[in-house]
Amino acid sequence: MAELVRFHNTVGGRESDSSTGRWLASMNPFTGEPWAEVPHCGVDDADAAVDAAHGAFVKGPWADMTATARGKLLRRLGDLIARDADKLAAIEVSDNGKLLAEMAGQLRYIPEWFHYFGGLADKIEGGVIPTDKPEMFTYTKREPLGVVVAITPWNSPLLLLTWKLAPALAAGNTIVIKPSEFTSCSTLALMALFKEAGFPEGVVNTVTGFGGEIGNALVSHPKVAKVAFTGGDATGAAVYQSAAKHIKHVTLELGGKSPNIIFADANIDDAVKGAISGIFAASGQTCIAGSRLLVQRSVYEEVSQRVVAFAKTARLGDPMEKTTQVGPITTLPQRDKVLGYIDVARGEGARCLLGGKRPEAPELAKGWFVEPTIFGDVSNEMRIAREEVFGPVLSIIPFEDEQHAIEIANDSIYGLASGVWTSSIRRAITMADKIRAGTVWVNTYRAVSFLAPFGGYKKSGVGRESGQHAIDEYLQTKCVWINLAEGVPDPFVLR
Ligand code: NAD
């Protein structure tokens, strides 16, 4: 077996391994074999990372740096990521199974977040308050929170990390990153670029290992001010609970069961492509997956058949190959979870129109693949329509009219994203008003930008990432009162 590539943590600007000397294998989902290893850290390592971040926040060059200088560092980092895009993309593909084509594109776009928030760093302004007390000069300042713990999932490690890092650093915080135990390698590789960009020691630190072992130590640590979490809703609830007990700021980006709604008046060619991109891109392992395809009854059969025909053409294969369209599932437990949901759907009486199993091609045998799978005759009461599968499994649900579509769309514990396919502007705007979700796409799907806020309604989360206001999630307001009058009046009376 080839030698495993070793990745190291960065703590206080230095390379750091686990204090117990343990290592954790990182698996390649296409070969089903380990390809790298990362430190298997424990609570002591988590404490050391928080101490380093806290030290960098309270003293040293970062604490004294101007916002303009911080912004320059962020923009330089963005340039370095663009330079190393291919290298980082290859690491992510080996570790995660995402397509090289998608990763190369993602890594060319990720620098935009660092450029944008780098530009925003010195535009964080307070204000002067014209209070009703003329003897007072009163102003506000926007200040960083302190140490931010960024906890990320396995499905899009670098992109989802970027959504946290760029605003948090622009605001002047310091960071401890806890990547997913399944896909830590790209995050650790990124650390070298922080050093090269000139970030002072301790501003960005990493600690790798299992959430169950070190997650709570990070979330409840007295020196941590904020937890920025992306992951499943059950873990998110546990993180929220622990953070509440210790009074931390929190943002949560959680799961989804997003409705992608096709009306009979839509351009059906486009809508079919939108349905495919909603569920089979990234093998359905995206929080925004349009996993419930709602189709108006009059075009239900036609759309179902055309979506199935299109999905049949999808090329499964090595994610490193340019021609591959559907890669493996990132982790073995997740592959088994997806297959389990397929059994559940069959048991509930949904009709399997495509896939429903592992592919038979011998060249895919070692990888953790699931065939693109489509169920028809799904009712919104079935578990397959209610629970997040996080894999290439589409449920097609018929609806009668606008009101019915809205009822089904909103009948979910989640509210992350949604799609509407229609040629009527009235209907597009009405649906956008009525759908309870953080994102509504009309005649498109899966568009994100550094400029546009992203986040969930209901159990899909708390707070927003990207866009101008994302920086507010990493700031707090101080109010300063300066007495301009001579003397202090009656000390027993509120002024
Ligand atoms: P997960 O909840 O299992 O793990 C997420 C992270 O939390 C990992 O780093 C894990 O180690 C850590 N963790 C686990 N237990 C912890 C604990 N007790 N305390 C602190 N941290 C802990 O999620 P996952 O399986 O890695 O990712 C898939 C999930 O992420 C899906 O539900 C998906 O919808 C969601 N997701 C949401 C978004 C979004 O932006 N809304 C984006 C991508 C993924």
Side-chain angles (χ1 to χ4, degrees):
M1 199 168 65
E3 204 173 314
L4 302 184
V5 185
R6 275 202 164 168
F7 291 86
H8 305 273
N9 278 309
T10 297
V11 176
R14 276 181 291 281
E15 220 172 63
S16 163
D17 297 330
S18 142
S19 52
T20 57
R22 291 181 301 169
W23 291 88
L24 196 59
S26 219
M27 308 292 286
N28 179 327
F30 179 64
T31 63
E33 286 174 4
W35 78 282
E37 50 186 5
V38 300
H40 180 165
C41 294
V43 170
D44 288 350
D45 303 304
D47 287 348
V50 174
D51 281 342
H54 189 253
F57 183 72
V58 295
K59 58 181 188 300
W62 183 253
D64 297 331
M65 199 177 273
T66 63
T68 306
R70 278 202 312 266
K72 276 187 189 154
L73 289 183
L74 280 164
R75 292 197 295 277
R76 201 175 299 151
L77 177 71
D79 292 345
L80 295 176
I81 293 173
R83 183 197 69 191
D84 285 2
D86 290 342
K87 200 167 105 190
L88 289 166
I91 293 173
E92 196 88 294
V93 176
S94 300
D95 213 30
N96 173 290
K98 258 191 155 45
L99 303 185
L100 187 62
E102 164 141 6
M103 274 322 300
Q106 230 184 56
L107 272 148
R108 282 197 180 79
Y109 198 37
I110 279 176
E112 297 286 358
W113 271 266
F114 291 105
H115 293 155
Y116 175 78
F117 283 100
L120 205 53
D122 57 5
K123 288 148 201 86
I124 304 165
E125 296 175 349
V128 175
I129 314 282
T131 65
D132 54 340
K133 301 175 201 311
E135 73 282 15
M136 294 285 185
F137 175 61
T138 309
Y139 65 93
T140 57
K141 290 183 73 195
R142 306 282 286 138
E143 295 191 338
L145 300 171
V147 176
V148 172
V149 166
I151 302 179
T152 53
W154 46 257
N155 63 311
S156 244
L158 285 178
L159 183 69
L160 300 171
L161 177 62
T162 296
W163 292 5
K164 297 170 179 22
L165 280 183
L169 290 170
N173 299 279
T174 59
I175 317 280
V176 175
I177 305 164
K178 210 304 271 164
S180 166
E181 51 272 36
F182 293 108
T183 56
S184 301
C185 298
S186 56
T187 299
L188 301 194
L190 185 68
M191 290 305 111
L193 300 188
F194 280 92
K195 196 169 183 172
E196 191 178 342
F199 280 83
E201 291 175 356
V203 173
V204 182
N205 309 274
T206 58
V207 55
T208 46
F210 291 98
E213 290 178 10
I214 54 174
N216 196 45
L218 291 169
V219 172
S220 61
H221 197 294
K223 288 181 183 164
V224 168
K226 153 136 194 168
V227 182
F229 175 87
T230 300
D233 55 312
T235 321
V239 165
Y240 209 11
Q241 213 166 14
S242 171
K245 208 164 146 196
H246 300 274
I247 322 288
K248 314 281 190 198
H249 296 254
V250 179
T251 42
L252 300 169
E253 295 289 352
L254 308 176
K257 196 74 202 175
S258 300
N260 197 0
I261 308 168
I262 301 180
F263 284 94
D265 67 2
N267 175 324
I268 300 295
D269 288 343
D270 289 349
V272 167
K273 285 188 202 147
I276 297 286
S277 106
I279 190 66
F280 298 124
S283 301
Q285 302 170 104
T286 68
C287 51
I288 52 178
S291 51
R292 290 187 295 153
L293 186 68
L294 276 49
V295 183
Q296 195 156 20
R297 181 82 68 188
S298 57
V299 289
Y300 180 83
E301 278 309 321
E302 180 197 349
V303 170
S304 301
Q305 282 171 23
R306 290 179 61 179
V307 172
V308 168
F310 203 123
K312 263 186 192 161
T313 67
R315 283 187 299 275
L316 278 67
D318 182 345
M320 287 285 188
E321 293 292 334
K322 279 202 183 112
T323 50
T324 299
Q325 293 172 319
V326 176
I329 303 294
T330 301
T331 79
L332 191 56
Q334 183 62 23
R335 198 275 313 268
D336 292 342
K337 183 176 159 192
V338 174
L339 292 173
Y341 267 113
I342 289 172
D343 288 344
V344 166
R346 284 203 174 97
E348 286 177 311
R351 190 159 50 99
C352 188
L353 305 176
L354 184 71
K357 57 180 176 33
R358 299 175 58 189
E360 278 149 22
E363 65 275 17
L364 304 179
K366 287 168 82 182
W368 302 326
F369 285 89
V370 175
E371 284 183 345
T373 296
I374 300 177
F375 283 102
D377 298 339
V378 175
S379 94
N380 204 48
E381 278 63 50
M382 294 179 181
R383 276 182 66 197
I384 196 68
R386 305 200 79 75
E387 298 174 21
E388 187 182 45
V389 176
F390 220 61
V393 181
L394 180 67
S395 296
I396 313 186
I397 304 171
F399 69 87
E400 307 304 334
D401 55 20
E402 230 170 77
Q403 185 52 35
H404 193 207
I406 292 163
E407 279 165 22
I408 299 173
N410 290 340
D411 180 16
S412 170
I413 58 170
Y414 297 111
L416 190 59
S418 57
V420 177
W421 299 86
T422 178
S423 55
S424 154
I425 187 70
R426 181 206 61 76
R427 174 169 278 158
I429 293 172
T430 305
M431 294 299 289
D433 282 348
K434 301 276 186 203
I435 292 174
R436 306 264 307 143
T439 295
V440 181
W441 288 298
V442 177
N443 295 335
T444 186
Y445 205 87
R446 240 180 144 237
V448 293
S449 165
F450 52 96
L451 295 158
F454 177 85
Y457 278 36
K458 301 191 264 182
K459 275 201 172 187
S460 290
V462 175
R464 293 293 177 271
E465 295 189 315
S466 302
Q468 264 188 55
H469 299 293
I471 206 157
D472 295 336
E473 310 273 0
Y474 295 93
L475 289 164
Q476 54 195 337
T477 302
K478 178 180 279 174
C479 189
V480 181
W481 295 78
I482 300 176
N483 184 16
L484 305 176
E486 298 288 343
V488 174
D490 185 348
F492 298 103
V493 176
L494 184 74
R495 290 198 82 181

